[in-house]
Amino acid sequence: MARIVMKFGGTSVANLERIHNVARHVKREVDAGHEVAVVVSAMSGKTNELVGWVQDTPKVAGANSPFYDAREYDAVVASGEQVTSGLLSIALQSMGVNARSWQGWQIPIRTDSAHGAARILEIDGSDIIRRMGEGQVAVVAGFQGIGPDNRIATLGRGGSDTSAVAIAAAVKADRCDIYTDVDGVYTTDPRVVPKARRLKKISFEEMLELASLGAKVLQVRSVELAMVHKVRTFVRSSFEDPDAPGMGDLINPPGTLICDEEEIVEQEVVTGIAYAKDEAQISLRRLADRPGVSAAIFGPLAEAHINVDMIVQNISEDGSRTDMTFTVPSGDVQKALKVLEDNKATIGFDVAQNESGLAKVSVIGIGMRSHAGVAALAFKALAEKGINIKAITTSEIKISILIDGAYSELAVRTLHSAYGLDKS
C-alpha cells in the first residue's frame, strides 16, 4: 500500500465525461489498496471566463479605472476549482468510492497575503491523513489557500500543480502524479520536432530549468517545491485508458519521473531543448561605469514586477562608460521603458533602445557539468544555419541563446539534432 496524490488539470476535467474518466483513474488506485488524495483544476476555460468577468465588472459599472480588489478577484476565480472538486466527489461516490471534497481553507493551506499570486507558507495535513487512513479519498480544490486575513488566496496561474506537490509533501506521499494532456516530458516540443522523445526520468534541476525556460508541462514553483521536499513526481496522461496495462504500476507507471539526480544512473550530456518566444531586448547606452548603477536599473524594474532575464554588460575602453543590455517579456517593454525613463537621472544613461520579436532557446542537461565543448557545439550548429546570436547566458546545467524570433523553431530543430536527441 502507498500514499498517492493525483492531480488533474483543466483539460482532464473539461466536461462531465472527462470527470468520469478521472474518477476511473482514481478508483483504480483505491481498488489497489492505496491511500489517495486528488487535486483538481477548474474545468478547461472556466478560469479565463471568471477572470474576464472580474475585469469587465468595473467597466459595466461605468468606472473610469479597471481597478478591482484582489481579495474579491480571488473569491471569484477560486470558485472554478470548488465546482470541479464537488463534481469529482459526486462521480466517485456514484462508483461506490468514499470521497469528500475539500477547499483550501478547510485543510488548511495557509498562504501569505499576496492575493492573486500567493505563496504557500504551511499545510496541516493531519486531518487529510486521518481521513485517508479511514479509506476516504480527499478531493482538494487546487490553486487556493487561506491568507493571513482569513480570506481565500489563489496561487497564480498553474497553481494547482503547486497545490498538489505541497499536499504531497505535507502528507508524506510516496508519489505525486501530475495528470495532464501529454504523456510525459519530452526532449523538446513534439509539435516543433516530431522526433522528440519522451524521457523516462529527468532530475528536479533539469525540470526546473525546462519549466522556467519555456516548457509548459509544469508550473515552476511546483518543481521548486518537489525539489526542496524530494517529492517523486510523475507526469502522466489522463487520456490513456485508466485500465490499460501498466497504468496501475506502483514503481514505474507510464510517464516521466521527476526525481533526485541520484536516481538517474545514466546521465545524458543534454536532456532537452526549451524555447520561449515573445522576448524583447532593452539596451541602455553610455551608462556611467560606477558602483551601484546595476542596482539603480534593476531595483525599480523589480519593484514594478518586471521579470528581467538575460543581462549583458559591455566595458568601454577608458572604463568611464558602459552599455547594459537585458531581456524582458515583450508585453513588459513599454512598462519597463517608462520605469527607466522615470529613473533616468538616477541611472544616468544617454538613450534606451529596444527590440521585440526575439526568442530564447535553451540547452539543458546535468551532464554538461562534466563535459567540455557543449556550448561550442551549439554555436557551431547555429552558425551553419545562418542564425545570428544576440546574447548568451550560461549556468552549470544550461545555455540560453537569444536570437531573432523568426528562427526559433529552426534553432530548436537544429540543436535537438546536433545533440543527438532525436535518436531513439
Side-chain angles (χ1 to χ4, degrees):
M1 186 188 77
R3 185 173 292 160
I4 299 173
V5 173
M6 308 169 73
K7 182 265 175 178
F8 294 90
T11 52
S12 302
V13 293
N15 52 45
L16 295 181
E17 288 74 20
R18 290 188 180 176
I19 288 173
H20 175 77
N21 187 62
V22 164
R24 290 177 60 209
H25 279 287
V26 176
K27 187 175 187 299
R28 178 192 67 232
E29 305 297 353
V30 172
D31 289 347
H34 304 312
E35 295 181 357
V36 179
V38 186
V39 177
V40 291
S41 298
M43 298 166 79
S44 182
K46 182 55 67 176
T47 300
N48 287 338
E49 181 183 22
L50 294 169
V51 170
W53 289 352
V54 171
Q55 292 174 340
D56 290 343
T57 297
K59 301 174 191 174
V60 174
N64 294 325
S65 167
F67 172 80
Y68 50 82
D69 190 322
R71 293 166 297 186
E72 302 308 334
Y73 168 92
D74 278 354
V76 174
V77 299
S79 66
E81 281 72 17
Q82 180 171 333
V83 169
T84 313
S85 62
L87 291 174
L88 179 56
S89 295
I90 292 170
L92 286 166
Q93 290 166 7
S94 70
M95 294 178 176
V97 176
N98 181 7
R100 182 63 60 201
S101 65
W102 295 69
Q103 308 312 305
W105 61 268
Q106 292 174 302
I107 293 174
I109 298 174
R110 301 202 177 276
T111 74
D112 62 18
S113 58
H115 284 278
R119 299 187 76 87
I120 296 173
L121 301 178
E122 179 188 17
I123 297 179
D124 181 357
S126 58
D127 204 9
I128 282 185
I129 291 172
R130 179 178 62 80
R131 296 285 192 96
M132 286 194 297
E134 295 171 355
Q136 187 176 93
V137 174
V139 183
V140 182
F143 177 59
Q144 57 172 258
I146 183 166
D149 55 0
N150 228 30
R151 297 186 64 89
I152 292 172
T154 62
L155 309 179
R157 300 307 290 265
S160 293
D161 287 348
T162 302
S163 299
V165 174
I167 289 169
V171 303
K172 296 180 171 54
D174 297 284
R175 202 176 77 203
C176 180
D177 291 352
I178 306 289
Y179 285 84
T180 180
D181 53 1
V182 294
D183 61 351
V185 180
Y186 280 72
T187 49
T188 195
D189 188 342
R191 294 169 298 181
V192 176
V193 183
K195 289 185 178 180
R197 292 181 293 109
R198 188 179 74 190
L199 299 164
K200 284 187 68 67
K201 293 182 179 180
I202 184 171
S203 72
F204 292 124
E205 292 90 343
E206 289 170 320
M207 191 65 234
L208 187 58
E209 292 286 7
L210 279 172
S212 62
L213 293 168
K216 306 295 184 187
V217 180
L218 288 174
Q219 192 204 42
V220 174
R221 279 164 57 196
S222 70
V223 185
E224 289 175 349
L225 270 177
M227 183 165 63
V228 169
H229 296 285
K230 304 291 188 213
V231 176
R232 298 175 84 250
T233 305
F234 277 90
V235 177
R236 308 179 63 177
S237 171
S238 64
F239 297 123
E240 291 188 38
D241 185 341
D243 300 318
M247 288 296 286
D249 189 330
L250 178 63
I251 307 301
N252 291 303
T256 299
L257 171 62
I258 306 167
C259 58
D260 197 89
E261 185 179 332
E262 295 172 359
E263 284 196 53
I264 302 175
V265 179
E266 294 185 17
Q267 296 176 355
E268 300 288 341
V269 177
V270 171
T271 300
I273 312 293
Y275 69 99
K277 295 182 178 180
D278 296 323
E279 296 283 313
Q281 179 177 272
I282 295 176
S283 298
L284 301 180
R285 303 298 184 191
R286 295 176 291 282
L287 281 162
D289 192 7
R290 55 177 171 77
V293 69
S294 295
I297 296 168
F298 300 115
L301 291 172
E303 289 171 6
H305 305 290
I306 296 169
N307 184 34
V308 174
D309 186 18
M310 309 173 82
I311 302 172
V312 179
Q313 183 174 3
N314 300 320
I315 306 299
S316 61
E317 288 184 11
D318 63 3
S320 64
R321 293 280 172 177
T322 184
D323 292 340
M324 184 81 76
T325 299
F326 54 90
T327 62
V328 298
S330 289
D332 286 341
V333 170
Q334 294 309 313
K335 184 179 177 182
L337 291 173
K338 184 179 186 308
V339 169
L340 294 169
E341 193 62 35
D342 290 345
N343 291 273
K344 186 173 183 179
T346 307
I347 299 169
F349 62 89
D350 279 359
V351 63
Q353 300 172 336
N354 70 91
E355 181 181 5
S356 296
L358 306 179
K360 177 176 61 183
V361 180
S362 302
V363 179
I364 297 122
I366 51 179
M368 291 166 59
R369 290 174 178 155
S370 55
H371 286 77
V374 179
L377 178 58
F379 304 151
K380 182 178 183 227
L382 294 177
E384 288 174 352
K385 296 293 184 180
I387 300 173
N388 187 45
I389 297 172
K390 294 179 174 289
I392 303 162
T393 58
T394 63
S395 75
E396 270 194 317
I397 65 168
K398 72 105 193 259
I399 305 158
S400 289
I401 300 165
L402 190 69
I403 60 173
D404 283 323
Y407 296 101
S408 61
E409 294 190 3
L410 174 60
V412 170
R413 289 193 293 269
T414 298
L415 294 174
H416 195 268
S417 178
Y419 291 109
L421 294 176
D422 48 5
K423 296 174 184 176
S424 59

